[in-house]
Amino acid sequence: AVAGVGGQCWPVFLKFDGGRGVSAILGASAVLAPREIPATIAAMAGARLLRFAPLLKNPHSASIKELLRLQEKQTRLGPLSVGLCIVGFPLLVTLRHRPREVVLGTSANACIFVARRLTANLGDLRDRDDFPSVLLYRLLYDRDTPW
């Protein structure tokens, strides 16, 4: 599971420039701890759906145009919730008294996730003055700027 996530984040055939590893981590977590994965996916989806919270005030007046505008709107909740859920998954597995190997595997995957978020496209950032804040934005929101 850990090798699969690492291979998705840093594939040899793509010069070690792969994806963020979220789908690979969710797949590996579903195999390692199948009882805990539904709550994690529900938390991620719930945070994504919060962007539609303004429609709860008056749901009957929502037009298709407004729904599309809310769908395209970028929020910080999505990347933040994904990061918190993936990093918190080893804690959930630990609290549910899963075997040590499962805790170690999910912890290693969370570390790979954090490392990939921080190191994606790192070459163009070394000369920036705001390098520490960029790393913080990457860690929390998977973006170089706060928007």
Side-chain angles (χ1 to χ4, degrees), residues 60-80:
H60 300 293
S61 69
S63 66
I64 297 294
K65 186 177 180 180
E66 186 176 5
L67 285 172
L68 291 175
R69 184 185 59 79
L70 287 172
Q71 174 64 28
E72 292 174 356
K73 181 182 173 187
Q74 288 189 353
T75 65
R76 295 179 187 177
L77 284 175
L80 182 63

Side-chain angles (χ1 to χ4, degrees), residues 79-140:
L80 182 63
S81 68
V82 168
L84 289 175
C85 287
I86 288 175
V87 171
F89 194 75
L91 178 63
L92 176 63
V93 170
T94 303
L95 293 175
R96 300 282 310 261
H97 304 292
R98 297 291 171 227
R100 180 178 41 152
E101 295 82 12
V102 173
V103 174
L104 291 175
T106 56
S107 298
N109 285 342
C111 291
I112 290 172
F113 172 79
V114 169
R116 181 62 187 152
R117 262 200 179 180
L118 293 176
T119 61
N121 303 325
L122 196 57
D124 57 346
L125 295 177
R126 293 186 181 141
D127 298 331
R128 291 180 62 161
D129 294 334
D130 58 344
F131 187 71
S133 62
V134 169
L135 287 180
L136 180 65
Y137 294 140
R138 282 185 172 198
L139 181 63
L140 295 177

